[in-house]
Amino acid sequence: MEREPHDEASARALRTLVDASPVPMVVIEPDATVRLWNLASTRLFGWSAGEVVGRRIPIVPAHRLDECAGIRRAIVGGQTLTVVETERLRKDGTLVEVVISAAPLPDPDGVVRSMVLLFEDVTQRKDAEAKRSEALAAAERARADAEAASVAKDHFLAMLSHELRNPLAAIRNAVVTARLDGSRRERALEIAGRQADQLTRILDDLLDVARVSQGHLALRTERLYLSRIVELAVEATRGLMDERGHVLRVSLPHEGVEVEADASRIEQVIVNLLSNAAKYTEPGGRVDLSVERDGADVTVVVRDSGIGIAPEVLPKIFDLFVRADNSRNRAQGGLGIGLTLVRRLVELHGGRVDATSDGPGTGATFTVRLPALDATAEASLGGSTDRAPSRRARVVLVEDNPDAAESLLMLLELLGHQVRTFGDGVTALAAASANPPDVMIVDIGLPGIDGYEVARRARRDPALARVVLVALTGYGREEDKRDALRAGFDRHLVKPVEPGAIEGLVAEMASPNRTPSALH
Ligand code: ADP
């Protein structure tokens, strides 16, 4: 009897110790009835000792019931074990990841009538591990990126020196030739000039890419007809197309589509795409360019019959310094800047550009999509038959190509103007002098006297003093404009003339308030 208080005291001491332990500790019987539940268990699982002692242990989720029965069987059999990577239920219904250490508590007779379970909450350790391996992976990625950037930079420098060395070598040779061989001086200087242009282009491209990347490239946008820009780009690449013997077909919409754009930048975009089409197509190939209105947008599609683009290269074709690495491609030189510039310039205009190809040997298609402006010219054309023009102008049209003459005649009449057409300058001048028009639109290449001579004679005729003279040519070069101005023209239009442009021009020229204007 004397020992009872002593046992009680040691049991209390044990209980205090167990509760003071930071380790969640539970004693259960083989049927899972809880005998002991310390404070750390309450902190981990949420149930108090009062709620669980004498009841079946509530922390086993349904999908772990078999696992628990197995653990209890093993312990009743005398084993000690550690269960890693498992989870138990909290009172609030959430799961907690734990490691369980389980051991038998045999009675003095050796029979296991209870067992102790110690739990370790490994959520935080797991989180920390996950974070550490994530950080490691990020560091690894950064290292790989830096390595790739360094390889790309070396590769780029090698390509750059190659690209610069070729024109420089040609210029140096040309200079020596010019110095030593007078008879070949002209030809040598021509080569040097062309190669210097090539160097300038490379440097311009590099600077442009840097400017766009740093957000320093400002667009000088204006409202303009896209087809007009396309024509300029086609002209600029005609030499390259001819040199490689390609057939270039251009299809423009019947009605002008206006865009808000920086003319020189959009021309640069289209020149780039056309040059690539020419470069990456075997000589004697086909390049098609079409401009089409597509809902609120306008698309410029450049399609070639060339070497095509492999599917694995396609997704990164617009990235900086990317060049498809095949031998025919290498033969073309280039730095892999052009398409990056194309994409950035198009995006600066609020548009986008895509590339498609069915793979090597099947050609490639590049589509530039730009937002189109409201089609005022089209709208006014559409309703023009029942709508009077701002002022009815009398027009003399001098054009020897019957189709060109007829189509322009129809357009002008549709716009409400009164038109007389003539196939040669002399007849046109006589008719105009007898009955002076407001505007004369004169083709430059004409049978007999050419358009410049028509302008000169018109300027000498007092009857035609107030007539506005408009030159119509296939050439848009500055010197063509200057020649036209010198001959006495007021304006210069490049074929094919946009309906909107001609409407605006004739209306403006026929206006009584018009002041004599300089050439545009
Ligand atoms: P570059 O022509 O100077 O190499 P780009 O940026 O203009 O640079 O083009 C990148 C790469 O895209 C080219 O090296 C070429 O491999 C591929 N590419 C561009 N246009 C075409 C095309 N029309 N057909 C096939 N491959 C093309």
Side-chain angles (χ1 to χ4, degrees):
M1 291 297 283
E2 267 194 62
R3 291 186 58 183
E4 287 262 302
H6 176 70
D7 279 352
E8 244 172 56
S10 56
R12 234 192 344 266
L14 190 63
R15 161 121 251 126
T16 310
L17 261 177
V18 165
D19 270 343
S21 159
V23 180
M25 202 180 285
V26 175
V27 174
I28 58 170
E29 293 176 3
D31 68 353
T33 305
V34 178
R35 282 288 147 231
L36 182 144
W37 180 272
N38 73 347
L39 282 177
S41 298
T42 300
R43 281 197 295 274
L44 178 59
F45 296 112
W47 285 280
S48 67
E51 287 174 299
V52 291
V53 172
R55 305 216 167 89
R56 279 179 72 84
I57 191 163
I59 61 172
V60 185
H63 64 284
R64 296 285 183 184
L65 283 171
D66 287 349
E67 175 194 278
C68 287
I71 295 172
R72 289 199 306 274
R73 264 197 310 278
I75 290 173
V76 170
Q79 290 182 43
T80 295
L81 44 91
T82 303
V83 186
V84 292
E85 306 255 325
T86 187
E87 70 248 294
R88 291 295 178 262
L89 208 53
R90 286 194 174 108
K91 190 176 177 184
D92 65 7
T94 58
L95 291 171
V96 53
E97 281 194 67
V98 288
V99 171
I100 307 172
S101 304
L105 291 174
D107 278 359
D109 56 8
V111 179
V112 177
R113 291 199 185 83
S114 58
M115 54 194 82
V116 62
L117 307 172
L118 307 177
F119 297 89
E120 184 189 353
D121 176 358
V122 291
T123 325
Q124 279 179 354
R125 200 172 76 199
K126 280 267 171 112
D127 279 358
E129 258 167 34
K131 281 207 183 91
R132 203 170 46 242
S133 57
E134 211 170 87
L136 272 177
E140 178 53 31
R141 273 198 306 275
R143 198 193 55 75
D145 284 353
E147 204 164 278
S150 162
V151 169
K153 186 200 70 195
D154 289 348
H155 190 62
F156 168 69
L157 286 177
M159 278 195 311
L160 181 61
S161 47
H162 175 262
E163 289 296 305
L164 296 180
R165 206 184 300 278
N166 280 347
L168 277 178
I171 290 171
R172 199 188 291 134
N173 294 343
V175 169
V176 174
T177 308
R179 202 180 285 141
L180 299 181
D181 183 349
S183 70
R184 287 159 71 194
R185 177 167 298 146
E186 275 307 310
R187 174 87 187 112
L189 289 178
E190 198 183 296
I191 291 174
R194 208 169 41 237
Q195 295 298 326
D197 288 348
Q198 170 68 7
L199 280 178
T200 312
R201 262 195 304 275
I202 293 175
L203 293 179
D204 282 349
D205 273 1
L206 277 172
L207 284 177
D208 280 347
V209 167
R211 273 192 215 117
V212 190
S213 307
Q214 293 158 9
H216 288 163
L217 194 124
L219 294 181
R220 280 195 298 263
T221 62
E222 57 186 320
R223 195 180 174 114
L224 43 86
Y225 285 101
L226 186 59
S227 303
R228 185 63 186 279
I229 311 299
V230 169
E231 300 254 316
L232 293 176
V234 166
E235 268 320 302
T237 47
R238 187 157 321 267
L240 182 62
M241 292 290 171
D242 291 348
E243 199 179 290
R244 295 188 58 80
H246 297 319
V247 174
L248 170 67
R249 277 199 314 227
V250 180
S251 142
L252 302 177
H254 293 302
E255 286 136 353
V257 182
E258 285 186 296
V259 288
E260 181 78 26
D262 183 325
S264 63
R265 294 308 184 177
I266 293 299
E267 185 183 339
Q268 190 177 2
V269 163
I270 301 167
V271 164
N272 246 311
L273 295 179
L274 285 173
S275 307
N276 277 350
K279 268 167 41 177
Y280 300 114
T281 298
E282 298 292 1
R286 224 190 47 239
V287 179
D288 293 308
L289 183 156
S290 65
V291 178
E292 267 169 43
R293 176 98 197 197
D294 182 6
D297 298 331
V298 54
T299 57
V300 181
V301 180
V302 177
R303 177 176 292 124
D304 63 54
S305 61
I307 64 173
I309 303 168
E312 65 274 13
V313 182
L314 213 43
K316 51 182 186 183
I317 199 83
F318 292 100
D319 292 352
L320 195 54
F321 308 142
V322 164
R323 312 199 62 230
D325 217 348
N326 62 44
S327 51
R328 278 183 294 185
N329 188 0
R330 293 252 68 87
Q332 286 305 330
L335 287 170
I337 304 177
L339 287 182
T340 307
L341 250 186
V342 163
R343 185 176 59 188
R344 301 210 175 146
L345 288 175
V346 169
E347 284 173 357
L348 274 181
H349 280 86
R352 56 168 220 268
V353 56
D354 298 302
T356 53
S357 170
D358 290 335
T362 62
T365 303
F366 287 82
T367 305
V368 172
R369 179 174 289 277
L370 293 169
L373 291 177
D374 277 346
T376 45
E378 289 168 37
S380 63
L381 268 181
S384 57
T385 38
D386 50 344
R387 172 187 148 269
S390 46
R391 182 169 176 270
R392 197 176 164 83
R394 286 160 306 158
V395 181
V396 160
L397 174 61
V398 196
E399 166 67 88
D400 61 322
N401 178 316
D403 287 345
E406 192 184 343
S407 58
L408 198 50
L409 169 82
M410 285 191 311
L411 173 64
L412 287 165
E413 285 185 345
L414 199 63
L415 294 171
H417 302 297
Q418 192 192 72
V419 190
R420 287 176 288 161
T421 58
F422 301 92
D424 71 274
V426 176
T427 321
L429 279 168
S433 189
N435 180 7
D438 300 305
V439 182
M440 278 179 85
I441 301 176
V442 187
D443 183 27
I444 294 299
L446 288 170
I449 59 170
D450 68 8
Y452 297 132
E453 184 56 26
V454 172
R456 278 189 287 269
R457 291 191 191 180
R459 285 290 167 242
R460 288 199 296 267
D461 184 342
L464 301 178
R466 293 189 52 82
V467 174
V468 174
L469 290 177
V470 180
L472 195 58
T473 78
Y475 306 99
R477 296 172 309 178
E478 277 309 312
E479 56 257 47
D480 297 316
K481 289 186 187 172
R482 252 196 328 270
D483 287 350
L485 182 61
R486 274 204 207 100
F489 281 106
D490 295 292
R491 289 287 174 104
H492 177 269
L493 286 179
V494 180
K495 292 180 191 174
V497 181
E498 297 281 356
I502 201 100
E503 182 187 20
L505 184 87
V506 174
E508 178 198 338
M509 288 296 161
S511 150
N513 307 327
R514 184 182 71 84
T515 47
S517 65
L519 195 79
H520 284 249

